[in-house]
Amino acid sequence: MEALNLLEIERILEQLDGWEYVDGAIETSFQFENFKEAFTIMTRIAFECEAQGHHPDWSNVYNSLQIRLNTHDVEGVTEKDFRLARAIESIVDSE
């Protein structure tokens, strides 16, 4: 798998709401009603990450969740990152 170039990344990012390219990764953040809701979503995302064999750099403080994706093996952003980002969007939107 190859890292995408900046033009490819920007083109694909246009299809995702709230994601941006920052320092070699795509990232976003979400706000939830409370910690329980944030943690519930994180759990659902964790199961999807396991299914895809791809894991984010993420952090949670109370009701906020920050997610950062890149493919460490190629030191860049790949389609693998966008596949997981789309799945994360689907999970968050389903709540």
Side-chain angles (χ1 to χ4, degrees):
M1 182 169 293
E2 292 183 19
L4 300 171
N5 65 48
L6 185 56
L7 289 175
E8 293 169 315
I9 292 168
E10 289 175 346
R11 180 183 52 79
I12 299 170
L13 280 173
E14 291 175 1
Q15 303 166 19
L16 292 170
D17 187 36
W19 290 80
E20 60 184 337
Y21 180 73
V22 178
D23 296 328
I26 58 172
E27 59 184 45
T28 193
S29 62
F30 299 101
Q31 296 289 317
F32 301 97
E33 187 174 323
N34 53 45
F35 176 76
K36 182 179 176 182
E37 185 178 326
F39 195 80
T40 298
I41 293 291
M42 289 179 72
T43 302
R44 292 183 60 210
I45 292 170
F47 280 100
E48 181 63 30
C49 293
E50 280 297 301
Q52 290 191 25
H54 192 43
H55 303 89
D57 293 327
W58 62 356
S59 65
N60 162 247
V61 177
Y62 182 60
N63 68 335
S64 67
L65 172 60
Q66 291 75 43
I67 301 175
R68 183 173 166 84
L69 301 173
N70 70 348
T71 303
H72 300 286
D73 296 348
V74 299
E75 298 180 1
V77 175
T78 66
E79 181 53 44
K80 191 175 188 178
D81 300 300
F82 284 107
R83 188 171 30 251
L84 183 54
R86 287 183 200 99
I88 290 168
E89 288 292 315
S90 179
I91 290 167
V92 171
D93 290 345
S94 71
E95 286 299 307

